[in-house]
């Protein structure tokens, strides 16, 4: 059973991961005095373009920070890093509340993601070393992922569909206070048995892997978006984007130690199938149901881990998205959201990693852009330009990525047959 200290660490990890995840995944917004100040085509386009780019940049920063702080033997310093990064986030949000112009919105979105990435990387190393904080960190990450996927962040004529899409002020302050308390609690702690840090002890393979994955997915998404610009992209172009996505995930998996890369293949497939679902105005009180589902499935994944049910569940979501027109919207949205929360929760508790920055990469990869962002359909509010594709194209694309990820995972396990040795 968890002790009181474990519970405090878990709540801190949950709140910190939620705040950092929102900074990585969701667009930065601020109070404005004019309702139309964010509605010009230029400003909406700039913000739309900056969201996936900022997510890619933020994940790279997260893994760099995770690699740098992982060898530290004083956990208080790692908690302090997460606290300082979250404090920078709070300052950025405060400055945003004072702004009356959208001219600096894109810049603040990048700053938001950089600070969020630093907080996410440091907090991941703090949390993933302990059982219950690791649960809190995973739950916070996945809840933000589900929220960002199923809630309409943009509409066709507005940069912000739901003002609660960015981190609420109270949540940022709550996470900051908890992180400060935990920094004080752990300031005298020492990690026994940790390897000494040498001058050259900086494994760059996770950083290279993250850069490769983030840039490949970002460039592929932007290329496919340009192919849809004013016209309908061909099946061959979408198929090429699928191949590039799976290939990037597979090479990334090979660059990570032992079998850590399996989680990256799961993340890429889950991000794709999540984007195949439609958008809703808000979660409302259903957010509590999502949190409960994620907690239960995370605990189930810890008890009986296996990556194959995750890919099977991802394929089921993709197939489900093909037939959503046959159901009422409420039923469709509730089933889709529940399935996504359950599969994602089980998936990232069922994969074991031998090197903690690999886990930061795998969980953070949920926030990377998917090629489905570039496919315009009438069912989704993400403002991708061009002629709308058939309603079933996103589901078929997500299913193709999931099948490709399953083949890649089988090949990956054949290349890396031995189970990873725990070394965190």
């Amino acid at each position: 059973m968890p002790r009181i200290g474990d519970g405090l660490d878990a709540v801190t990890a949950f709140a910190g991961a939620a705040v950092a995840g929102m900074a990585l995944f969701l667009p930065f917004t601020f109070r404005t005095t004019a309702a139309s100040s964010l509605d010009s085509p230029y400003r909406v386009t700039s913000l739309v373009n900056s969201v996936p780019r900022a997510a890619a940049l933020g994940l790279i920063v997260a893994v760099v920070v995770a690699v740098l702080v992982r060898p530290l033997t004083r956990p208080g310093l790692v908690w302090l890093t997460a606290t300082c990064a979250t404090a920078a986030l709070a300052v950025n949000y405060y400055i945003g509340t004072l702004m009356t112009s959208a001219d600096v919105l894109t810049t603040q979105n990048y700053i938001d993601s950089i600070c969020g990435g630093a907080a996410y990387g440091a907090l991941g190393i703090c949390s993933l070393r302990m059982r219950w904080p690791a649960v809190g960190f995973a739950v916070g990450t996945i809840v933000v992922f589900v929220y960002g996927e199923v809630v309409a962040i943009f509409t066709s004529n507005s940069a912000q569909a739901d003002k609660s899409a960015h981190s609420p002020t109270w949540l940022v302050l709550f996470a900051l206070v908890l992180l400060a308390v935990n920094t004080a609690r752990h300031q005298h702690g020492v990690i026994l048995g940790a390897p000494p840090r040498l001058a050259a002890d900086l494994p760059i393979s996770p950083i290279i892997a993250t850069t490769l994955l983030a840039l490949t997915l970002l460039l592929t998404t932007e290329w496919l978006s340009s192919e849809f610009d004013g016209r309908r992209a061909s099946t061959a172009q979408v198929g090429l984007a699928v191949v590039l996505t799976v290939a990037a995930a597979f090479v990334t998996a090979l660059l990570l130690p032992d079998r850590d890369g399996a989680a990256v293949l799961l993340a890429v497939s889950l991000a794709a199938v999540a984007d195949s679902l439609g958008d809703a105005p808000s979660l409302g009180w259903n957010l509590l149901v999502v949190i409960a589902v994620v907690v239960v499935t995370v605990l189930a994944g810890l008890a009986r881990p296996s990556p194959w049910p995750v890919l099977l569940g991802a394929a089921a979501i993709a197939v489900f998205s093909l037939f959503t027109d046959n159901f009422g919207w409420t039923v469709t949205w509730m089933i889709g959201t529940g399935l996504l929360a359950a599969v994602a929760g089980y998936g990232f508790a069922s994969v074991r990693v031998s090197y903690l920055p690999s886990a930061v990469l795998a969980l953070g990869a949920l926030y990377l852009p998917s090629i489905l962002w570039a496919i315009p359909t009438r069912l989704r509010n993400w403002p991708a330009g061009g002629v709308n594709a058939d309603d079933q194209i996103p589901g078929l694309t997500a299913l193709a990525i999931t099948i490709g990820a399953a083949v890649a995972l089988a090949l990956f396990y054949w290349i890396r047959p031995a189970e990873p040795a725990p070394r965190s």
Side-chain angles (χ1 to χ4, degrees), residues 12 29 150 161 244 256 265 284 289 307 310 312 362 368 401:
T12 303
T29 57
V150 303
L244 290 173
L256 296 177
L265 293 167
V289 178
V310 182
L312 182 61
L368 289 177
I401 291 176

Side-chain angles (χ1 to χ4, degrees), residues 44 61 129 167 190 297 314 317 336 339 347:
V44 173
V61 171
R129 283 176 169 150
S167 302
V190 176
T297 51
I317 295 174
L339 283 174

Side-chain angles (χ1 to χ4, degrees), residues 148-417:
E149 292 290 357
V150 303
V151 173
I153 305 303
F154 293 93
T155 64
S156 59
N157 61 358
S158 174
Q160 186 67 33
D162 183 354
K163 286 299 179 185
S164 66
H166 61 83
S167 302
T169 302
W170 67 266
L171 181 59
V172 178
L173 295 178
F174 180 64
L176 182 59
V177 170
L178 288 178
L179 285 167
V181 170
N182 264 28
T183 299
R185 287 182 59 242
H186 293 283
Q187 64 177 329
H188 299 301
V190 176
I191 301 174
L192 299 178
R197 182 172 183 178
L198 304 177
D201 184 19
L202 180 61
I204 64 171
S205 59
I207 299 174
I208 295 174
T210 306
T211 304
L212 171 68
L213 180 67
L215 292 184
T216 302
L217 295 184
L218 177 62
L219 294 175
T220 302
T221 300
E222 292 190 344
W223 167 77
L224 188 60
S225 179
S226 68
E227 295 302 312
F228 272 104
D229 189 10
R231 59 188 181 275
R232 190 188 300 270
S234 68
T235 303
Q237 291 167 325
V238 176
L240 177 58
V242 170
V243 171
L244 290 173
T245 297
V246 176
F250 180 67
V251 175
T252 299
L254 291 177
L255 287 172
L256 296 177
D258 298 321
R259 287 189 162 188
D260 292 2
V264 174
L265 293 167
L266 300 186
V268 169
S269 62
L270 282 173
V273 299
D275 282 330
S276 69
L277 299 172
D279 297 330
S282 67
L283 272 176
W285 289 104
N286 291 318
L287 179 62
L288 298 178
V289 178
V290 170
I291 294 175
V293 170
V294 172
V295 170
V296 170
T297 51
V298 164
L299 295 177
L302 290 174
R304 300 183 65 87
S306 174
W308 299 110
V310 182
L311 291 173
L312 182 61
I317 295 174
V319 172
F320 172 75
S321 70
L322 298 176
F323 301 98
T324 52
D325 285 344
N326 299 329
F327 306 101
W329 169 246
T330 302
V331 174
T332 297
W333 184 75
M334 290 180 61
I335 294 176
T337 303
L339 283 174
L340 181 61
V343 174
Y346 179 84
F348 288 92
S350 64
V351 176
R352 302 292 184 262
V353 298
S354 61
Y355 185 55
L356 292 182
S358 300
V360 173
L361 166 56
L363 282 164
L366 289 171
Y367 301 148
L368 289 177
S370 162
I371 61 171
L372 274 76
W373 286 17
I375 302 177
T377 69
R378 66 179 181 85
L379 298 175
R380 298 177 65 244
N381 288 311
W382 185 268
V387 181
N388 281 349
D390 293 337
D391 293 343
Q392 291 190 331
I393 292 297
L396 292 173
T397 303
L399 183 60
I401 291 176
T402 302
I403 293 173
V407 174
L409 182 62
L411 179 59
F412 176 71
Y413 278 167
W414 180 75
I415 296 173
R416 302 269 177 89

